[in-house]
Amino acid sequence: MIRRFTLYMLCLALAGVHGHAAAEQPTRPPTTVVFTADLPTEGSLVLGVFAGNELGPLGQEIDANADGALTRAIEALEFEAEASTSQLVAAPRGSGLQRILLVGLGERLAPKSALEWQTIGGNAVQAAIAAFKTAPPLAFDAPADNTADLAFGAKLGSYYFDRYITDGERIRSQGELTVVTSAADAVQDIYRQALDPVADAMWLTRDASNEPANLLYPESFVATWQGHFKALDRVKLRVLDERDMRKQGMGAIYGVGQGSARPPRILIVEYSGGRAGDAPIVIVGKGITFDTGGISIKSAKNLWNMKFDMSGAASTMGTLYALAARGARVNAVGIAALAENMPGSNAQRPGDIVSTLSGKQIEIRNTDAEGRLVLADAIHYGDITYDPVLLVDLATLTGSAARALGNNYAALLTRHDELVPDFLAAGELSGDRVWEMPLDDEHFEAIESNVADVINSGAEGPGLSTAAAFIGTFVREQTPWVHFDIAGVAYSDEPAPLKASPGSTSFGVRLLDTYIRERFETH
Ligand code: BES
Ligand code: MN
Ligand code: ZN
């Protein structure tokens, strides 16, 4: 009798408290880019052409083998080769090729930014996939740096979230892209060292962010990134579960998680690429794997978009992945604050008061203002545990930020104005653009509570600023802290040159990777 009971208990324990099996790890490898100096001798080809229809060595090789037929074909077309335009031509007889998609690279001597080159690469691969269904080899003869950027753009431009599309006829991500370029080795060196790690990081971030919430929840988010980080050096992972949260007094994240059958988690990634003892950069991400609003429930319209409410956490992990994969010479820590905001029978209520790691007491006015709650504990943990040289948080925090700045700028809020210019610059360089919004004493005053220390949502006023003030309440004033509200930019319904799918943009990965590279790694 006793033995049978023990066996029963053991089975219960193995099955987990709520009866579901071990967390899945939704994942797939990113597309790989292969470089070669050899032109294909059959099939189709993408060929980059500068304005004025200047052919590079690869184009000249095809042209010479066909007695100038390529040049004649191009001239007959009046193709201007402006940046990001394209034109399909029949391949000259004798080349063995069938069709060539000419893609414009713009004026050869006009300087273009890395981002402009990448955009051309993204448009080229998308035009190729539209023309041929799958991307043929991409022949580019720009200078090595620029060709590496074209390849980076092509990889991201071919990103589709297609894991659950079983119809083989539909357009999908390429497992592999081939770039043909005369200086293949030089291009490959640049690409592998500086660019592919970032492209991989963005790819994995998008996949995590796009996953539906039935498959990606706090535990499976942790399992997925544990899998990704396994391959990287100088990385240490730690996980806090709901018992740790209770023990340490993290009542705010615990309270958000308690309405869901899926327990909350905090995933911590420590990367040590810098000198031992140097204070790390700490990045904290909002990881609400689904936001129903909780008891202050949201309406049904566009509710499905709330599967993206963990995008800050995904981009935080993605940034750490990029830093570790390219061997950045910095110390950095990423913290994902993970919970599902559900209105279960154990859910917290408006009016509840929760106690935080900092000791401050929060009056819950609105259970839909949950992002700032999970961040309150996670950011305080990051601040006091690591004493960071820079503390950043990324969060799909308020509709207010999306309304104020639309889909092209994230909101930046900080008490440390001296940090702003370099972030604006990194935004322009990377394409993850940011704009500063106000954070003043009045915003801190607006969130005082009558019955506790702070309320989690003010009734009226500038929601993006009071939300930032709330988070700032849990950060020491002297810590150089910058908050990014990415609610408007984390996902989009439109494809873009560097993203073929609607959905996650991986916003923040490039911004922070670029900022860190420019500020901490160039001496
Ligand atoms: N996750 C939302 C913010 C959001 C809204 C992100 C739209 C992306 C698109 C957040 O948790 C939220 O619900 N914020 C509330 C705060 C309010 C209750 C104080 C909001 O912005 O309405
Ligand atoms: Mn919410
Ligand atoms: Zn939310």
Side-chain angles (χ1 to χ4, degrees):
M1 176 65 198
I2 288 180
R3 274 170 101 190
R4 205 183 293 165
F5 179 73
T6 316
L7 198 64
Y8 173 67
M9 288 306 288
L10 186 69
C11 289
L12 266 189
L14 287 174
V17 195
H18 302 286
H20 38 71
E24 302 97 277
Q25 302 177 34
T27 181
R28 61 165 174 176
T31 287
T32 54
V33 183
V34 176
F35 294 89
T36 172
D38 299 326
L39 280 166
T41 52
E42 55 179 25
S44 306
L45 182 73
V46 169
L47 180 64
V49 184
F50 283 106
N53 291 319
E54 257 186 72
L55 297 178
L58 293 168
Q60 286 167 16
E61 188 182 326
I62 298 171
D63 202 37
N65 288 339
D67 295 323
L70 181 60
T71 315
R72 286 195 297 280
I74 293 175
E75 273 161 10
L77 287 164
E78 298 180 16
F79 178 60
E80 307 277 348
E82 279 173 32
S84 290
T85 60
S86 64
Q87 168 79 53
L88 197 58
V89 297
R93 214 182 290 214
S95 66
L97 299 169
Q98 276 157 2
R99 290 182 297 168
I100 298 181
L101 182 73
L102 303 170
V103 300
L105 303 180
E107 292 289 341
R108 188 168 63 85
L109 296 175
K112 283 190 279 286
S113 68
L115 194 57
E116 286 171 310
W117 284 106
Q118 293 163 10
T119 302
I120 294 171
N123 281 319
V125 82
Q126 287 176 14
I129 293 171
F132 306 118
K133 283 255 162 92
T134 78
L138 308 156
F140 292 128
D141 263 326
D145 277 358
N146 306 333
T147 306
D149 279 321
L150 287 167
F152 178 86
K155 173 160 173 167
L156 289 175
S158 71
Y159 175 88
Y160 287 89
F161 184 66
D162 55 9
R163 304 186 53 210
Y164 306 106
I165 298 173
T166 59
D167 175 355
E169 295 296 294
R170 303 256 309 265
I171 288 176
R172 52 192 54 252
S173 297
Q174 317 289 301
E176 186 176 293
L177 289 173
T178 300
V179 171
V180 189
T181 188
S182 308
D185 289 343
V187 173
Q188 165 151 286
D189 285 350
I190 297 168
Y191 179 77
R192 295 251 178 278
Q193 210 299 305
L195 296 173
D196 199 50
V198 183
D200 275 351
M202 292 169 73
W203 190 286
L204 298 175
T205 299
R206 290 172 182 183
D207 271 2
S209 183
N210 283 327
E211 281 291 334
N214 61 323
L215 301 177
L216 195 99
Y217 44 95
E219 286 163 290
S220 66
F221 181 103
V222 168
T224 298
W225 286 97
Q226 280 173 330
H228 296 334
F229 281 109
K230 216 170 258 159
L232 302 179
D233 295 332
R234 297 168 178 271
V235 168
K236 226 178 76 193
L237 268 59
R238 297 194 292 126
V239 184
L240 305 184
D241 65 16
E242 68 274 31
R243 282 174 295 272
D244 299 319
M245 291 170 188
R246 259 250 264 256
K247 242 188 290 168
Q248 299 199 26
M250 297 177 160
I253 185 168
Y254 185 88
V256 173
Q258 76 185 29
S260 170
R262 276 128 173 224
R265 291 286 181 269
I266 291 179
L267 172 61
I268 302 160
V269 181
E270 298 174 350
Y271 167 64
S272 49
R275 278 192 306 241
D278 274 4
I281 300 151
V282 174
I283 306 168
V284 187
K286 169 176 171 179
I288 299 299
T289 56
F290 196 78
D291 182 13
T292 65
I295 296 301
S296 313
I297 200 160
K298 288 181 182 295
S299 71
K301 189 164 175 275
N302 289 332
L303 187 54
W304 69 276
N305 275 339
M306 287 302 120
K307 72 170 185 168
F308 293 115
D309 212 22
M310 35 58 72
S311 296
S315 291
T316 296
M317 291 299 120
T319 304
L320 266 289
Y321 187 96
L323 295 174
R326 68 177 178 76
R329 307 191 67 80
V330 295
N331 296 331
V333 179
I335 303 177
L338 302 158
E340 186 179 47
N341 190 22
M342 295 287 274
S345 64
N346 194 41
Q348 66 181 352
R349 296 142 289 248
D352 283 5
I353 296 173
V354 296
S355 178
T356 65
L357 180 64
S358 72
K360 291 195 171 113
Q361 305 289 308
I362 301 170
E363 180 193 355
I364 310 290
R365 282 285 180 90
N366 189 326
T367 63
D368 197 12
E370 84 298 337
R372 64 199 76 183
L373 294 172
V374 300
L375 287 170
D377 281 330
I379 206 165
H380 188 75
Y381 181 86
D383 189 17
I384 60 168
T385 308
Y386 297 102
D387 196 13
V389 60
L390 172 71
L391 179 59
V392 172
D393 77 88
L394 293 171
T396 48
L397 204 64
T398 69
S400 163
R403 283 190 296 277
L405 293 173
N407 303 124
N408 287 321
Y409 287 88
L412 177 169
L413 299 97
T414 183
R415 288 185 285 227
H416 294 260
D417 289 333
E418 70 280 6
L419 296 170
V420 175
D422 285 348
F423 273 110
L424 295 182
E428 293 305 319
L429 275 178
S430 67
D432 282 352
R433 290 187 288 176
V434 300
W435 199 256
E436 190 184 9
M437 297 298 271
L439 177 59
D440 295 318
D441 290 346
E442 66 197 79
H443 305 121
F444 285 85
E445 284 156 22
I447 54 169
E448 279 171 17
S449 165
N450 297 325
V451 294
D453 297 315
V454 275
I455 51 174
N456 77 326
S457 94
E460 304 284 307
L464 82 173
S465 295
T466 49
F470 183 92
I471 294 169
T473 302
F474 299 89
V475 178
R476 293 170 304 168
E477 253 180 79
Q478 73 270 22
T479 304
W481 159 67
V482 183
H483 162 66
F484 292 101
D485 193 329
I486 60 171
V489 295
Y491 56 91
S492 78
D493 299 335
E494 305 292 326
L498 296 179
K499 174 184 84 90
S501 273
S504 170
T505 60
S506 62
F507 189 100
V509 175
R510 301 194 71 187
L511 172 71
L512 297 178
D513 181 70
T514 302
Y515 177 90
I516 289 168
R517 194 188 66 215
E518 297 289 312
R519 178 175 156 201
F520 294 99
E521 296 178 85
T522 48
H523 305 288

